[in-house]
Amino acid sequence: MADASGAGRPAPITAPLSEPFWEGTRNGELRLQRCGSCSRFVWTPQYACPDCLSEDYEWVACSGRGVVYSYTVVHRSIDPSRFEAPYVLAVVQLEEGPHLLTNIVGCEPEAVQVDMPVEVRFERIDDEFTVYPFAPREVQE
Ligand SMILES: [Zn+2]
């Protein structure tokens, strides 16, 4: 089974604005900014709310659940030593609203479908970075 993360993977480029997010993934939390004025969840990290322009926000752990909004299966890796093809690049719509660019793991690429329920599955790269691919989840009736 393809695995788009792990050893040899290039480390994310971070900025002070996104450090609370990476601190969250290291601790098993998928954190989003939530606007203190209008309560909107925001991704990617912003200095001001895209709706109301408030600079009052807090970082909160989100559910880590969502659905596949869009995806593509990569068959020719840009760097086979770091990314073993095939792998799935996807946009996941979180329950909280934002869309997140990520990978889908834990199933064959052919099994991925739009609207498929998924949940985050943290994968530690090193002491500094834990990435956040998503995997299929069971839906409770
Ligand atoms: Zn707002």
Side-chain angles (χ1 to χ4, degrees), residues 3-10 81-83 123-126:
D3 182 355
S5 32
R9 185 179 178 133
S81 69
R82 294 177 167 184
F83 297 99
E123 293 186 359
R124 183 180 177 277
I125 292 180
D126 57 28

Side-chain angles (χ1 to χ4, degrees), residues 35-40 49-54 56:
C35 177
S37 178
C38 72
S39 300
R40 174 186 169 158
C49 175
D51 275 349
C52 72
L53 301 181
S54 171
D56 174 27

Side-chain angles (χ1 to χ4, degrees), residues 40-107:
R40 174 186 169 158
F41 283 94
V42 177
W43 180 262
T44 59
Q46 304 290 322
Y47 287 104
C49 175
D51 275 349
C52 72
L53 301 181
S54 171
E55 296 177 17
D56 174 27
Y57 63 83
E58 61 179 346
W59 284 92
V60 296
C62 74
S63 65
R65 293 186 300 270
V67 296
V68 174
Y69 179 81
S70 180
Y71 71 96
T72 188
V73 179
V74 178
H75 290 279
R76 184 175 295 185
S77 175
I78 191 169
D79 183 348
S81 69
R82 294 177 167 184
F83 297 99
E84 182 185 345
Y87 61 90
V88 179
L89 189 62
V91 175
V92 166
Q93 182 169 20
L94 299 170
E95 286 184 346
E96 290 80 3
H99 294 77
L100 194 67
L101 185 63
T102 185
N103 296 116
I104 304 297
V105 299
C107 67

